[in-house]
Amino acid sequence: MLNNRTIKEIIEPQYVLEGAGVLLRRSIAPMLSNRFDPFLLFDHFAFNDPADDPIRGFPMHPHRGIETVTYILKGSVNHRDSLGNAGLIGPGDVQWMTAGGGILHEEMPRRGPDGIIDGFQLWVNLPAAQKMSRPRYQEVGTETIPVFDKNGCRVRVVAGTVAGLHGPVTEITANPVYLDVRLEARARFSLPVSEAHTVLAYVFDGQGLFGNTEVSSVRMAVFGDGNQVEVRANDSQVRFILMAGATFGEPIVPYGPFVMNTQEEIQQALADLRDGTFVRK
Ligand code: FE
């Protein structure tokens, strides 16, 4: 039996300054309560005025115990890391980085031709058994992301499956769904989801009916229990990032760019950074 999920919470993103002075809209952040297990953080960097100063970006910093997912709509992010990887995440591209046991990297946003940057970064937790795993990247070029386009629904499938279209990001422990969904006025989108998954929708354009709750941009909507997600557009279009993932049910201890399971593991991460053993060869 299909049981539509209803919205149990709507979160208004807060402005925060991160890195070397990048203004972000943050809707969730790592918390001891781990309320959105396996999701830890969601940032939207879309509010940089073209007339503003240059964007300073995120100089070299560490990560351990998590995955970071960067999705760019406009502009780009220049990326390079301690393992010698480097590249440009351009419009429509996704970088799914599994930091595992440790990576040091730099992320430098760059304006597009219209002077604007628009994009998102999601943090996904890793289970205890994989927190110290080998770092790994899945670099997804815009042209390799399948698009479901029917009945006023346009869905870019980054991870998960929509109407038989499989997203290119695979072999992630949280078994995630990550979709960029745009509905024209009056269009309706539904997707079966696992009962056991946490489901979030970040609504960043227009408004629509999520379950039976009206949600307007810009908000993070948190779905309650059920095995299907249904969204309907009203008189205007609506666009959102739909995320679902399996919960790990483990305690977490977040500390800046690290999310581990215990305080001792955080101390170890800091000690490794001091000793220069943070990144394993
Ligand atoms: Fe980072």
Side-chain angles (χ1 to χ4, degrees):
M1 202 183 77
L2 287 173
N3 175 16
N4 272 343
R5 287 183 180 237
T6 56
I7 297 299
K8 65 175 183 183
E9 186 178 356
I10 295 174
I11 298 168
E12 182 178 354
Q14 304 294 309
Y15 283 102
V16 294
L17 272 175
E18 273 292 354
V22 182
L23 188 62
L24 302 166
R25 272 183 155 173
R26 175 163 294 167
S27 39
I28 67 173
M31 288 174 291
L32 279 171
S33 62
N34 204 7
R35 295 173 53 206
F36 306 110
D37 183 6
F39 301 119
L40 297 165
L41 171 144
F42 192 88
D43 281 345
H44 182 185
F45 35 101
F47 301 89
N48 296 292
D49 188 322
D52 277 353
D53 294 338
I55 298 155
R56 288 167 196 87
F58 306 88
M60 236 5 130
H61 59 277
H63 287 292
R64 177 177 282 182
I66 62 169
E67 306 188 274
T68 67
V69 181
T70 308
Y71 176 39
I72 302 297
L73 300 177
K74 288 183 170 179
S76 61
V77 171
N78 255 312
H79 173 264
R80 84 191 158 87
D81 75 11
S82 50
L83 300 169
N85 302 298
L88 189 76
I89 312 168
D93 296 345
V94 173
Q95 180 195 67
W96 199 294
M97 182 186 85
T98 305
I103 204 153
L104 289 158
H105 76 165
E106 180 184 272
E107 297 158 287
M108 294 304 197
R110 293 288 173 260
R111 298 178 195 282
D114 52 4
I116 292 176
I117 292 178
D118 198 353
F120 311 96
Q121 188 168 85
L122 166 73
W123 290 9
V124 184
N125 199 17
L126 286 168
Q130 278 163 41
K131 284 205 176 284
M132 295 304 288
S133 62
R134 185 184 290 271
R136 181 175 65 135
Y137 288 90
Q138 297 191 53
E139 307 272 4
V140 179
T142 184
E143 70 288 349
T144 65
I145 297 174
V147 180
F148 171 82
D149 200 347
K150 204 173 170 184
N151 302 330
C153 303
R154 187 173 186 278
V155 184
R156 306 190 78 223
V157 186
V158 174
T161 302
V162 174
L165 295 175
H166 302 289
V169 173
T170 56
E171 293 168 51
I172 301 294
T173 314
N175 192 22
V177 172
Y178 188 105
L179 310 174
D180 171 0
V181 183
R182 195 188 65 202
L183 305 182
E184 289 169 15
R186 306 285 164 207
R188 174 184 165 278
F189 175 72
S190 64
L191 185 76
V193 290
S194 165
E195 298 253 16
H197 280 198
T198 296
V199 183
L200 306 174
Y202 187 76
V203 184
F204 61 97
D205 187 29
Q207 70 217 61
L209 212 51
F210 290 71
N212 45 27
T213 303
E214 174 90 25
V215 182
S216 300
S217 58
V218 176
R219 293 288 185 275
M220 177 70 87
V222 183
F223 285 91
D225 296 336
N227 60 12
Q228 179 168 265
V229 164
E230 186 174 80
V231 182
R232 280 175 285 156
N234 295 323
D235 297 333
S236 64
Q237 74 159 26
V238 61
R239 190 170 177 190
F240 54 98
I241 304 293
L242 185 69
M243 294 158 275
T247 59
F248 298 132
E250 295 177 350
I252 62 167
V253 180
Y255 185 88
F258 317 131
V259 181
M260 303 303 287
N261 298 109
T262 66
Q263 193 63 50
E264 291 68 35
E265 289 166 341
I266 294 294
Q267 295 302 333
Q268 187 63 53
L270 293 168
D272 290 351
L273 264 185
R274 279 193 304 269
D275 300 346
T277 55
F278 186 79
V279 176
R280 284 127 212 267
K281 301 292 175 210

